[in-house]
mmCIF file of all heavy atoms in Angstrom:
data_model
loop_
_atom_site.group_PDB
_atom_site.id
_atom_site.type_symbol
_atom_site.label_atom_id
_atom_site.label_comp_id
_atom_site.label_asym_id
_atom_site.label_seq_id
_atom_site.Cartn_x
_atom_site.Cartn_y
_atom_site.Cartn_z
ATOM 1 N N ARG A 894 204.174 19.287 88.352
ATOM 2 C CA ARG A 894 203.376 20.477 88.093
ATOM 3 C C ARG A 894 204.138 21.377 87.117
ATOM 4 O O ARG A 894 205.361 21.361 87.071
ATOM 5 C CB ARG A 894 203.116 21.240 89.391
ATOM 6 C CG ARG A 894 202.258 20.487 90.406
ATOM 7 C CD ARG A 894 202.071 21.346 91.640
ATOM 8 N NE ARG A 894 201.331 20.678 92.680
ATOM 9 C CZ ARG A 894 200.019 20.726 92.836
ATOM 10 N NH1 ARG A 894 199.293 21.416 91.970
ATOM 11 N NH2 ARG A 894 199.416 20.099 93.829
ATOM 12 N N HIS A 895 203.390 22.189 86.376
ATOM 13 C CA HIS A 895 203.991 23.136 85.453
ATOM 14 C C HIS A 895 203.812 24.548 85.977
ATOM 15 O O HIS A 895 202.854 24.866 86.680
ATOM 16 C CB HIS A 895 203.341 23.031 84.069
ATOM 17 C CG HIS A 895 203.706 21.785 83.329
ATOM 18 N ND1 HIS A 895 204.773 21.712 82.465
ATOM 19 C CD2 HIS A 895 203.152 20.552 83.344
ATOM 20 C CE1 HIS A 895 204.863 20.479 81.969
ATOM 21 N NE2 HIS A 895 203.881 19.759 82.487
ATOM 22 N N LEU A 896 204.732 25.410 85.632
ATOM 23 C CA LEU A 896 204.641 26.820 85.958
ATOM 24 C C LEU A 896 203.394 27.410 85.294
ATOM 25 O O LEU A 896 203.086 27.092 84.145
ATOM 26 C CB LEU A 896 205.895 27.527 85.448
ATOM 27 C CG LEU A 896 206.205 28.922 85.970
ATOM 28 C CD1 LEU A 896 206.521 28.868 87.459
ATOM 29 C CD2 LEU A 896 207.401 29.494 85.212
ATOM 30 N N VAL A 897 202.679 28.262 86.021
ATOM 31 C CA VAL A 897 201.495 28.932 85.483
ATOM 32 C C VAL A 897 201.878 30.372 85.160
ATOM 33 O O VAL A 897 202.494 31.060 85.975
ATOM 34 C CB VAL A 897 200.340 28.892 86.508
ATOM 35 C CG1 VAL A 897 199.133 29.658 85.977
ATOM 36 C CG2 VAL A 897 199.963 27.446 86.813
ATOM 37 N N VAL A 898 201.505 30.828 83.976
ATOM 38 C CA VAL A 898 201.933 32.147 83.499
ATOM 39 C C VAL A 898 200.710 32.982 83.150
ATOM 40 O O VAL A 898 199.771 32.497 82.514
ATOM 41 C CB VAL A 898 202.843 32.012 82.261
ATOM 42 C CG1 VAL A 898 203.324 33.383 81.793
ATOM 43 C CG2 VAL A 898 204.033 31.112 82.574
ATOM 44 N N GLY A 899 200.715 34.235 83.586
ATOM 45 C CA GLY A 899 199.628 35.148 83.277
ATOM 46 C C GLY A 899 200.140 36.564 83.132
ATOM 47 O O GLY A 899 201.333 36.833 83.283
ATOM 48 N N LYS A 900 199.212 37.486 82.895
ATOM 49 C CA LYS A 900 199.585 38.884 82.690
ATOM 50 C C LYS A 900 198.917 39.819 83.692
ATOM 51 O O LYS A 900 199.536 40.753 84.188
ATOM 52 C CB LYS A 900 199.213 39.310 81.263
ATOM 53 C CG LYS A 900 199.534 40.766 80.948
ATOM 54 C CD LYS A 900 199.094 41.110 79.542
ATOM 55 C CE LYS A 900 199.369 42.599 79.239
ATOM 56 N NZ LYS A 900 198.891 42.985 77.888
ATOM 57 N N ARG A 901 197.635 39.570 84.006
ATOM 58 C CA ARG A 901 196.858 40.528 84.798
ATOM 59 C C ARG A 901 196.848 40.225 86.282
ATOM 60 O O ARG A 901 196.764 41.135 87.111
ATOM 61 C CB ARG A 901 195.423 40.580 84.277
ATOM 62 C CG ARG A 901 195.311 41.060 82.844
ATOM 63 C CD ARG A 901 193.898 40.938 82.324
ATOM 64 N NE ARG A 901 193.803 41.378 80.928
ATOM 65 C CZ ARG A 901 194.061 40.599 79.897
ATOM 66 N NH1 ARG A 901 194.436 39.341 80.085
ATOM 67 N NH2 ARG A 901 193.966 41.072 78.663
ATOM 68 N N GLY A 902 196.887 38.947 86.632
ATOM 69 C CA GLY A 902 196.821 38.596 88.042
ATOM 70 C C GLY A 902 197.170 37.138 88.251
ATOM 71 O O GLY A 902 197.106 36.325 87.318
ATOM 72 N N ALA A 903 197.540 36.807 89.485
ATOM 73 C CA ALA A 903 197.900 35.430 89.807
ATOM 74 C C ALA A 903 197.663 35.177 91.286
ATOM 75 O O ALA A 903 197.798 36.072 92.124
ATOM 76 C CB ALA A 903 199.358 35.142 89.454
ATOM 77 N N VAL A 904 197.318 33.926 91.596
ATOM 78 C CA VAL A 904 197.133 33.496 92.984
ATOM 79 C C VAL A 904 197.710 32.099 93.129
ATOM 80 O O VAL A 904 197.779 31.329 92.163
ATOM 81 C CB VAL A 904 195.638 33.482 93.395
ATOM 82 C CG1 VAL A 904 195.049 34.878 93.373
ATOM 83 C CG2 VAL A 904 194.829 32.537 92.498
ATOM 84 N N ALA A 905 198.111 31.760 94.350
ATOM 85 C CA ALA A 905 198.600 30.406 94.624
ATOM 86 C C ALA A 905 198.391 30.116 96.098
ATOM 87 O O ALA A 905 198.715 30.940 96.958
ATOM 88 C CB ALA A 905 200.081 30.285 94.272
ATOM 89 N N THR A 906 197.854 28.937 96.378
ATOM 90 C CA THR A 906 197.691 28.514 97.765
ATOM 91 C C THR A 906 197.498 27.006 97.821
ATOM 92 O O THR A 906 197.517 26.323 96.789
ATOM 93 C CB THR A 906 196.546 29.270 98.460
ATOM 94 O OG1 THR A 906 196.608 29.043 99.868
ATOM 95 C CG2 THR A 906 195.182 28.850 97.929
ATOM 96 N N SER A 907 197.286 26.483 99.042
ATOM 97 C CA SER A 907 197.338 25.038 99.267
ATOM 98 C C SER A 907 196.026 24.306 99.008
ATOM 99 O O SER A 907 195.981 23.090 99.130
ATOM 100 C CB SER A 907 197.802 24.754 100.701
ATOM 101 O OG SER A 907 196.993 25.442 101.631
ATOM 102 N N GLN A 908 194.953 25.007 98.659
ATOM 103 C CA GLN A 908 193.682 24.383 98.316
ATOM 104 C C GLN A 908 193.150 24.955 97.017
ATOM 105 O O GLN A 908 193.050 26.180 96.869
ATOM 106 C CB GLN A 908 192.656 24.604 99.437
ATOM 107 C CG GLN A 908 192.945 23.836 100.704
ATOM 108 C CD GLN A 908 192.923 22.337 100.477
ATOM 109 O OE1 GLN A 908 191.973 21.786 99.915
ATOM 110 N NE2 GLN A 908 193.982 21.668 100.898
ATOM 111 N N PRO A 909 192.785 24.097 96.038
ATOM 112 C CA PRO A 909 192.280 24.613 94.764
ATOM 113 C C PRO A 909 191.063 25.521 94.912
ATOM 114 O O PRO A 909 190.969 26.553 94.249
ATOM 115 C CB PRO A 909 191.925 23.328 93.986
ATOM 116 C CG PRO A 909 192.833 22.291 94.556
ATOM 117 C CD PRO A 909 192.942 22.621 96.010
ATOM 118 N N GLN A 910 190.109 25.141 95.815
ATOM 119 C CA GLN A 910 188.915 25.977 95.978
ATOM 120 C C GLN A 910 189.260 27.350 96.537
ATOM 121 O O GLN A 910 188.609 28.344 96.222
ATOM 122 C CB GLN A 910 187.898 25.293 96.893
ATOM 123 C CG GLN A 910 187.350 23.987 96.351
ATOM 124 C CD GLN A 910 188.056 22.788 96.963
ATOM 125 O OE1 GLN A 910 189.279 22.802 97.158
ATOM 126 N NE2 GLN A 910 187.301 21.737 97.261
ATOM 127 N N ALA A 911 190.290 27.409 97.371
ATOM 128 C CA ALA A 911 190.723 28.710 97.897
ATOM 129 C C ALA A 911 191.365 29.548 96.796
ATOM 130 O O ALA A 911 191.155 30.767 96.726
ATOM 131 C CB ALA A 911 191.692 28.512 99.057
ATOM 132 N N ALA A 912 192.161 28.907 95.941
ATOM 133 C CA ALA A 912 192.731 29.629 94.807
ATOM 134 C C ALA A 912 191.625 30.178 93.907
ATOM 135 O O ALA A 912 191.710 31.312 93.414
ATOM 136 C CB ALA A 912 193.667 28.718 94.020
ATOM 137 N N LEU A 913 190.578 29.372 93.721
ATOM 138 C CA LEU A 913 189.436 29.841 92.929
ATOM 139 C C LEU A 913 188.763 31.038 93.584
ATOM 140 O O LEU A 913 188.329 31.974 92.898
ATOM 141 C CB LEU A 913 188.424 28.709 92.751
ATOM 142 C CG LEU A 913 188.827 27.588 91.795
ATOM 143 C CD1 LEU A 913 187.848 26.420 91.894
ATOM 144 C CD2 LEU A 913 188.885 28.100 90.357
ATOM 145 N N ALA A 914 188.688 31.030 94.916
ATOM 146 C CA ALA A 914 188.114 32.169 95.635
ATOM 147 C C ALA A 914 188.906 33.437 95.355
ATOM 148 O O ALA A 914 188.336 34.519 95.120
ATOM 149 C CB ALA A 914 188.079 31.879 97.134
ATOM 150 N N GLY A 915 190.226 33.321 95.373
ATOM 151 C CA GLY A 915 191.055 34.472 95.060
ATOM 152 C C GLY A 915 190.869 34.954 93.639
ATOM 153 O O GLY A 915 190.766 36.162 93.379
ATOM 154 N N MET A 916 190.803 34.016 92.705
ATOM 155 C CA MET A 916 190.618 34.392 91.307
ATOM 156 C C MET A 916 189.246 35.026 91.072
ATOM 157 O O MET A 916 189.110 35.951 90.261
ATOM 158 C CB MET A 916 190.813 33.171 90.408
ATOM 159 C CG MET A 916 190.830 33.497 88.920
ATOM 160 S SD MET A 916 192.039 34.769 88.424
ATOM 161 C CE MET A 916 193.589 33.900 88.678
ATOM 162 N N GLU A 917 188.224 34.552 91.805
ATOM 163 C CA GLU A 917 186.899 35.187 91.719
ATOM 164 C C GLU A 917 186.999 36.678 92.010
ATOM 165 O O GLU A 917 186.386 37.503 91.332
ATOM 166 C CB GLU A 917 185.932 34.547 92.731
ATOM 167 C CG GLU A 917 185.295 33.256 92.316
ATOM 168 C CD GLU A 917 184.269 32.793 93.348
ATOM 169 O OE1 GLU A 917 183.443 33.631 93.764
ATOM 170 O OE2 GLU A 917 184.304 31.615 93.745
#
């Protein structure tokens, strides 16, 4: 995996759909 970089916000968790929920 590669490091993910952003400026305004970030989320990380054990399920992709849950991460999408946070980003929503």
Side-chain angles (χ1 to χ4, degrees):
R894 295 180 183 269
H895 288 268
L896 195 66
V897 177
V898 182
K900 179 182 178 183
R901 298 173 181 85
V904 296
T906 192
S907 54
Q908 290 298 309
Q910 297 99 320
L913 287 170
M916 188 54 69
E917 279 185 48

